[in-house]
Amino acid sequence: MSIQVKNIHKQFGAFTALDDITLDFPTGELVALLGPSGCGKTTLLRIIAGLEQADSGQILLDGDDASSTHVRERQVGFVFQHYALFKHMTVFDNVAFGMRMKPRGQRPSEAKIKDKVHELLKLVQLDWLADRFPSQLSGGQRQRIALARALAVEPRVLLLDEPFGALDAKVRKELRRWLRKLHDELHITSIFVTHDQEEALEVADRVVLMDHGKVEQIGTPEEVYRHPATPFVYGFLGSVNFFHGRVEGETVRVGDDTLPHEPHDFDHGAEVVAFARPHELDIDTDPASTAGIAARINRVLAFGVTARVELDGINGSTGQHFEVEITRERVLELGLKDGQAVRLIPSRLKVFEREGASA
Amino acid sequence: MAGATTMHLGGNHAARFENKAATSETPLVKWTILAIALTFFTVFLLMPLIAVFVEAFRKGWETYVTALVDPDALSAIKLTLLAAAVSVPLNLVFGVAAAWAIAKFEFRGKQFLITLIDLPFSVSPVIAGLVFVLIFGAQGWFGSWLIDNDIKIIFAVPGIVLATVFVTFPFIARELIPLMQAQGKEEEEAAVVLGAKGWQVFWYVTLPNIKWGLMYGVILTNARAMGEFGAVSVVSGHIRGQTNTLPLHVEILYNEYMFSAAFAVASLLALLALVTLVIKNWVEHQAARSYRDTQESAS
């Protein structure tokens, strides 16, 4: 089932949680709503579920306006960050709950319910836990039970609110992969909220990036990572080095140094921020060189295949820290030492106009 | 209930605290504090309790039984049970409704409502009784209307029930509000998303989660309803065989120098209190256990 969000606006007192959001979630996709805490992603998910009312705007489920439909009738599956399992019920009763609450006419027989519960528990690979209580399960197991419970009512869409947020790093990674596999089997339209960019990029078909109640960018993980549309997206997805400067013809002047940059539609003298990822910077040890940005090596961390070099800016970018990722061989080849003055040469540079500076 | 939990959880903690040389006090300090506490306990709690039973049986079994099967005593027992039987279910409904409203919804004047619920605790029971006399008494607001329609509230059973309901009002609500607030709305939301209707959510999700707190509130309400003296005394009129509850009956017997009978009836109340305490302890134990489970599942 497709979900369309049209001009949704939500205000909490003076705080604008969602500012005129319009989005389209096509059938069968697994979409991540990604953003820092307080960006409105959870509120949007709760509005889609019907747990929260928007101040204005529409939610269309399969093309029908669901704004006035009660949560109960929306046929959504919702998975909470803290599981929200019924503490006083066994795993079996938790999963059976949705089916047992149906009106007498639509309620399946106990035998059917039993089959269905076991089928779902097998799907989440926890069939052997049917008689346990939630307090006897680990966090990862609880979240899988919560997912089985949500699937029991055969929802048309699955909404997950930071489903792995309360789990430790290792379990989170496992469950991520597992969720992706499950989605490939079920093909149910799913939206999950997360603040973990790695999680979003790894699991989702598409990523919706949000900040301050607005959508910043929508795209496949590849698209948003390779071609960030805004400085926010650039900074949010992975580590990044940035240089404040001014456009001077073909170059960006940063303090006393200049960076080459492809002709762009920036005016001469425009205040800009240039971004480069750690692996998009190279180090030049030639003392006579004047290309790139001057920096001093602070620390070289060379334990993995790739080495991380931490540097401090000098000449105009003083006080700034940079991070460069190069291969271990390259570190040895250059003979990098702590305290050495070098120059940073970006292989790729993304330039944005500085916010508020143009006005 | 919160107190109960701390006590249960405090056990291990205290032992560890005690066994560490750095944090343990000298034996002298320890024993002095213990002795003071035990003396207080004996003089102010244990002795009066023993005295009640000793005095009750001073003139032997027969006097004891006679005092209890006296028609006035029986009528007082009946009235006390009636007052409790009406006020407990009423407060059960009010208390759960108030706690539900406060814990699960946001509305204007919420803090004011919480304060209002505490009113019966802060106001003297005598004032509470007087309020009802002023409203429903012969000279009160509705006095003439009630007389015209031949309805008796003050100096009659309805007045006693009203006063009892008033003084016991906060017990259940007070017990449930923090509990329900701590539990939050997530389980209820999960139930609604799964298609449960309002009453199903309450019956299958909310109620099982609050049952021990609720039970505890009911026990306290019951204990207070049976033991209430001040408010009931003002509205009762002390008509023997008609508007006397057990505590009022004890007072009358005592004032008439029938000490053995007074203590015999008092021992009945004391016994009720002891039974209440035992049940209360058991409920606290259960509640602490379910609280621990909750903590585990939350971690």
Side-chain angles (χ1 to χ4, degrees):
Chain A
M1 189 181 70
S2 70
I3 305 168
Q4 278 167 288
V5 173
K6 275 192 178 169
N7 307 101
I8 289 286
H9 191 92
K10 177 78 181 175
Q11 197 91 22
F12 291 113
F15 176 72
T16 307
L18 294 171
D19 189 5
D20 198 24
I21 300 275
T22 299
L23 282 171
D24 224 334
F25 300 93
T27 309
E29 271 195 5
L30 177 56
V31 180
L33 289 181
L34 175 64
S37 57
C39 74
K41 54 196 192 304
T42 293
T43 308
L44 180 61
L45 194 77
R46 290 173 61 86
I47 288 174
I48 294 171
L51 289 169
E52 208 99 48
Q53 286 287 313
D55 297 334
S56 62
Q58 281 181 310
I59 301 290
L60 303 183
L61 299 178
D62 244 352
D64 299 326
D65 186 0
S67 306
S68 57
T69 317
H70 193 273
V71 197
R72 217 180 283 130
E73 277 100 44
R74 287 197 190 186
Q75 285 180 275
V76 296
F78 201 98
V79 174
F80 294 82
Q81 181 179 5
H82 297 287
Y83 331 118
L85 290 176
F86 307 125
K87 295 185 277 288
H88 59 283
M89 293 184 203
T90 61
V91 164
F92 183 95
D93 291 335
N94 262 285
V95 179
F97 186 85
M99 288 181 271
R100 286 179 177 159
M101 289 303 118
K102 286 191 174 170
R104 204 171 285 274
Q106 304 163 28
R107 199 184 307 159
S109 66
E110 268 305 307
K112 276 224 183 80
I113 290 178
K114 197 176 163 194
D115 290 346
K116 177 88 186 175
V117 170
H118 281 293
E119 183 192 314
L120 283 163
L121 287 178
K122 278 201 192 97
L123 182 72
V124 298
Q125 298 153 0
L126 292 174
D127 202 20
W128 48 287
L129 289 176
D131 298 326
R132 303 278 184 90
F133 283 91
S135 57
Q136 298 167 300
L137 309 183
S138 72
Q141 289 170 336
R142 278 180 217 170
Q143 200 53 296
R144 283 194 274 168
I145 297 299
L147 193 62
R149 181 179 69 175
L151 291 172
V153 289
E154 292 173 355
R156 300 187 293 170
V157 285
L158 193 58
L159 308 173
L160 306 105
D161 182 14
E162 303 247 3
F164 315 129
L167 303 169
D168 59 63
K170 188 165 168 273
V171 180
R172 199 185 309 182
K173 258 201 151 137
E174 255 172 54
L175 274 194
R176 239 190 248 170
R177 229 167 287 144
W178 176 81
L179 176 70
R180 182 65 238 184
K181 220 181 103 223
L182 192 75
H183 183 264
D184 291 340
E185 283 170 31
L186 300 174
H187 284 297
I188 176 170
T189 312
S190 309
I191 305 177
F192 81 102
V193 158
T194 180
H195 61 259
D196 181 343
Q197 39 101 5
E198 201 185 311
E199 190 171 293
L201 297 178
E202 196 176 301
V203 177
D205 294 315
R206 285 203 311 154
V207 178
V208 175
L209 271 128
M210 291 180 67
D211 188 37
H212 289 108
K214 286 197 158 120
V215 174
E216 293 273 330
Q217 191 175 2
I218 308 170
T220 62
E222 168 85 12
E223 275 164 16
V224 293
Y225 189 79
R226 300 285 304 167
H227 308 287
T230 65
F232 165 79
V233 177
Y234 216 116
F236 194 75
L237 296 176
S239 31
V240 72
N241 298 292
F242 57 91
F243 311 95
H244 291 282
R246 177 174 293 143
V247 175
E248 279 182 6
E250 301 281 286
T251 60
V252 177
R253 173 160 292 280
V254 181
D256 300 336
D257 303 322
T258 54
L259 290 170
H261 112 97
E262 288 145 40
H264 230 298
D265 40 355
F266 289 114
D267 295 337
H268 186 82
E271 298 275 343
V272 293
V273 189
F275 289 91
R277 300 236 180 255
H279 65 265
E280 292 167 345
L281 288 176
D282 195 16
I283 293 176
D284 186 356
T285 46
D286 181 2
S289 170
T290 54
I293 301 284
R296 191 179 302 283
I297 295 176
N298 189 12
R299 228 148 58 108
V300 181
L301 302 157
F303 1 87
V305 184
T306 57
R308 212 170 78 212
V309 185
E310 291 175 0
L311 308 100
D312 293 326
I314 42 180
N315 291 357
S317 50
T318 318
Q320 252 194 287
H321 302 286
F322 302 116
E323 207 181 296
V324 177
E325 262 174 39
I326 46 178
T327 59
R328 229 176 100 84
E329 287 78 53
R330 180 92 178 127
V331 172
L332 297 175
E333 183 190 323
L334 292 169
L336 298 179
K337 286 186 294 289
D338 290 1
Q340 188 179 357
V342 294
R343 302 195 76 87
L344 299 175
I345 319 280
S347 59
R348 192 165 165 267
L349 202 60
K350 179 86 180 168
V351 182
F352 293 101
E353 193 144 357
R354 207 187 307 180
E355 252 171 79
S358 55
Chain B
M1 215 182 69
T5 346
T6 8
M7 256 162 49
H8 278 279
L9 300 176
N12 289 328
H13 190 70
R16 208 168 56 201
F17 185 79
E18 175 67 14
N19 290 336
K20 285 214 176 115
T23 48
S24 66
E25 287 292 347
T26 61
L28 180 70
V29 174
K30 185 169 135 188
W31 290 111
T32 314
I33 293 172
L34 256 179
I36 293 173
L38 282 175
T39 314
F40 254 80
F41 171 75
T42 315
V43 174
F44 288 96
L45 294 174
L46 203 58
M47 257 173 39
L49 190 65
I50 293 167
V52 167
F53 286 96
V54 168
E55 286 298 322
F57 288 106
R58 186 180 288 276
K59 290 190 181 156
W61 267 104
E62 275 166 42
T63 330
Y64 183 82
V65 174
T66 320
L68 292 187
V69 297
D70 177 73
D72 287 351
L74 284 179
S75 139
I77 293 173
K78 250 187 245 163
L79 186 56
T80 298
L81 291 178
L82 176 74
V86 175
S87 54
V88 168
L90 269 183
N91 278 330
L92 193 72
V93 176
F94 291 156
V96 171
W100 174 280
I102 286 166
K104 312 275 174 181
F105 297 101
E106 289 304 321
F107 54 90
R108 220 177 251 274
K110 191 162 157 174
Q111 212 49 48
F112 180 67
L113 184 63
I114 296 176
T115 315
L116 211 61
I117 287 173
D118 276 343
L119 188 70
F121 272 173
S122 53
V123 104
S124 158
V126 177
I127 313 276
L130 265 178
V131 167
F132 285 107
V133 172
L134 286 174
I135 296 174
F136 298 113
Q139 268 74 47
W141 291 358
F142 303 115
S144 47
W145 185 85
L146 289 170
I147 292 169
D148 290 346
N149 289 281
D150 200 24
I151 301 171
K152 286 188 94 173
I153 292 181
I154 300 305
F155 305 145
V157 175
I160 289 169
V161 170
L162 267 178
T164 311
V165 170
F166 180 83
V167 293
T168 54
F169 187 80
F171 284 105
I172 292 177
R174 264 282 141 202
E175 193 57 45
L176 292 186
I177 290 167
L179 183 65
M180 284 170 106
Q181 274 174 338
Q183 283 174 346
K185 295 190 273 204
E186 269 205 343
E187 281 188 46
E188 273 92 355
E189 282 179 348
V192 173
V193 175
L194 288 168
K197 288 177 196 63
W199 69 269
Q200 288 176 317
V201 175
F202 179 75
W203 190 255
Y204 293 111
V205 178
T206 309
L207 200 59
N209 275 335
I210 60 168
K211 67 178 174 204
W212 292 114
L214 191 62
M215 199 91 95
Y216 186 69
V218 164
I219 290 166
L220 288 182
T221 306
N222 189 53
R224 183 68 193 268
M226 288 185 171
E228 176 54 26
F229 179 82
V232 169
S233 175
V234 176
V235 297
S236 135
H238 305 271
I239 309 167
R240 279 195 204 196
Q242 282 182 36
T243 62
N244 265 348
T245 60
L246 274 179
L248 299 183
H249 190 59
V250 172
E251 192 207 16
I252 289 178
L253 290 173
Y254 186 80
N255 285 345
E256 291 173 353
Y257 303 104
M258 297 161 74
F259 296 129
S260 284
F263 277 109
V265 177
S267 75
L268 197 64
L269 274 174
L271 208 65
L272 276 175
L274 287 177
V275 170
T276 306
L277 276 181
V278 170
I279 302 175
K280 182 183 123 249
N281 253 334
W282 180 73
V283 169
E284 269 177 358
H285 183 72
Q286 296 294 327
R289 224 175 58 183
S290 86
Y291 179 78
R292 269 204 303 278
D293 287 350
T294 320
Q295 288 311 91
E296 275 164 26
S297 64
S299 62

